[in-house]
Amino acid sequence: MIPPDYHLHTRLCGHASGDVGDYLENAARKGLREVGFADHLPLYFLPPGEKMPGYAMGEEELPLYVELVNSLRDAAPVRVKLGIEADYVPGFEKKLAALLSAYSFDYVMGSVHFIDGWGFDNPAEIREYGSREIIRVYERYFSLVQQAALTGFFDIMAHPDLIKKFGFRPQADLTPLYEETARVFKKAGVCAEVNTAGLRCAAKEIYPSPALLEIFFKNGIPVTFGSDAHSPGLAGKDLEKAFSLVKNAGYREFAVFEGRKRTFVKI
Ligand code: ZN
Ligand code: FE
Ligand code: FE
Ligand code: ZN
């Protein structure tokens, strides 16, 4: 069994390639039975008129995205869910709420890609790590992830320890930060995404780390799976590794979504 890949992107975001149909075919060929697209939500937190080209679809493209994914459902070789990956940037909750409520998503993933304006997972902004204390960066990152979870906008928190992407790791023991994050996820009722893109970065490790995943398990945080594919060949990538990791952590079920309703599949 290979679990659903709930984190596929499309060309609309400006930094992914390939045809949506090819993502589905690749997923089906790898033995997946269900996938979900979760392309980047338009950057609702930018001042009106300002753009960050190549980051996300424009607001005028969001209806096209929804239509595109919905139009695939009938003839697809796998079950197709409509998700979205929404950045969390504090202070723009009204705009976020308006965008999310305008469409019938199956699930909404929350992501933190910005720390107080710093695109910390952007290779073009990697130098900033050199002028920061890494443990402080981790603390700020996880506090934003927790804040995001508590907003109630999100069903799933994407790549929960994305901050390790470029391999910057603090000396300090992260257990207390992980425990706190897990408790907040529990209180917020969100799932954690097990995302294989970390294997393809300097971090060389699935998001979340085995240590964080174990703490999620202990706290009863459900999981979903994602490749974060930005090209068709990556659909379903390394999902069997993510699945083993989850089973080894103790999980006996994972979450699936339809119309933002969560149910569980036994493993
Ligand atoms: Zn992306
Ligand atoms: Fe992301
Ligand atoms: Fe993504
Ligand atoms: Zn992502």
Side-chain angles (χ1 to χ4, degrees):
M1 175 193 217
I2 305 185
D5 185 346
Y6 269 7
H7 199 147
L8 302 178
H9 286 275
T10 78
R11 273 203 300 246
L12 283 168
C13 69
H15 60 271
S17 61
D19 210 77
V20 282
D22 293 334
Y23 285 79
L24 301 182
E25 258 164 49
N26 275 298
R29 187 159 352 110
K30 288 178 190 164
L32 277 76
R33 299 173 58 183
E34 177 168 330
V35 301
F37 286 92
D39 211 351
H40 299 280
L41 189 74
L43 303 176
Y44 61 91
F45 47 88
L46 294 180
E50 195 172 304
K51 294 217 154 129
M52 288 172 76
Y55 261 83
M57 66 184 94
E59 220 175 296
E60 72 289 352
E61 292 171 301
L62 186 54
L64 304 179
Y65 166 70
V66 169
E67 236 170 83
L68 174 67
V69 174
N70 284 336
S71 74
L72 294 168
R73 291 185 194 257
D74 283 351
V78 288
R79 212 165 21 244
V80 177
K81 296 287 168 72
L82 173 66
I84 194 87
E85 178 178 14
D87 273 280
Y88 178 63
V89 174
F92 302 89
E93 285 77 2
K94 269 207 178 114
K95 187 71 200 288
L96 176 57
L99 279 178
L100 293 179
S101 63
Y103 302 95
S104 302
F105 295 111
D106 286 311
Y107 57 89
V108 176
M109 285 208 289
S111 290
V112 173
H113 300 111
F114 296 95
I115 296 177
D116 309 314
W118 170 33
F120 67 86
D121 77 327
N122 180 355
E125 298 185 46
I126 193 170
R127 280 199 358 239
E128 180 66 19
Y129 284 93
S131 58
R132 303 243 186 164
E133 210 184 326
I134 299 305
I135 185 63
R136 296 286 103 80
V137 170
Y138 271 62
E139 285 166 357
R140 181 71 186 131
Y141 168 77
F142 279 104
S143 108
L144 283 166
V145 170
Q146 292 171 17
Q147 206 184 321
L150 289 171
T151 61
F153 288 125
F154 310 119
D155 304 302
I156 305 161
M157 299 312 296
H159 38 60
D161 58 354
L162 179 64
I163 192 64
K164 74 185 176 193
K165 175 174 177 178
F166 295 121
F168 296 96
R169 291 172 186 269
Q171 296 292 310
D173 178 15
L174 293 170
T175 308
L177 202 50
Y178 288 172
E179 298 272 7
E180 183 187 58
T181 302
R183 280 194 302 270
V184 169
F185 279 20
K186 184 70 191 177
K187 182 172 171 220
V190 294
C191 297
E193 181 198 32
V194 179
N195 180 312
T196 61
L199 292 170
R200 312 192 292 271
C201 306
K204 287 273 176 289
E205 186 181 81
I206 284 173
Y207 309 110
S209 68
L212 179 51
L213 185 62
E214 267 178 42
I215 291 172
F216 283 151
F217 175 70
K218 270 193 341 206
N219 283 271
I221 311 304
V223 290
T224 65
F225 298 85
S227 64
D228 220 334
H230 285 73
S231 60
L234 292 176
K237 177 76 176 161
D238 294 326
L239 244 58
E240 69 291 343
K241 289 182 192 160
F243 200 39
S244 310
L245 187 71
V246 158
K247 284 188 283 192
N248 289 337
Y251 283 91
R252 294 296 172 264
E253 59 185 14
F254 60 83
V256 290
F257 285 87
E258 191 167 329
R260 306 208 58 185
K261 236 182 59 71
R262 180 169 89 189
T263 54
F264 291 94
V265 174
K266 294 261 174 266
I267 53 185

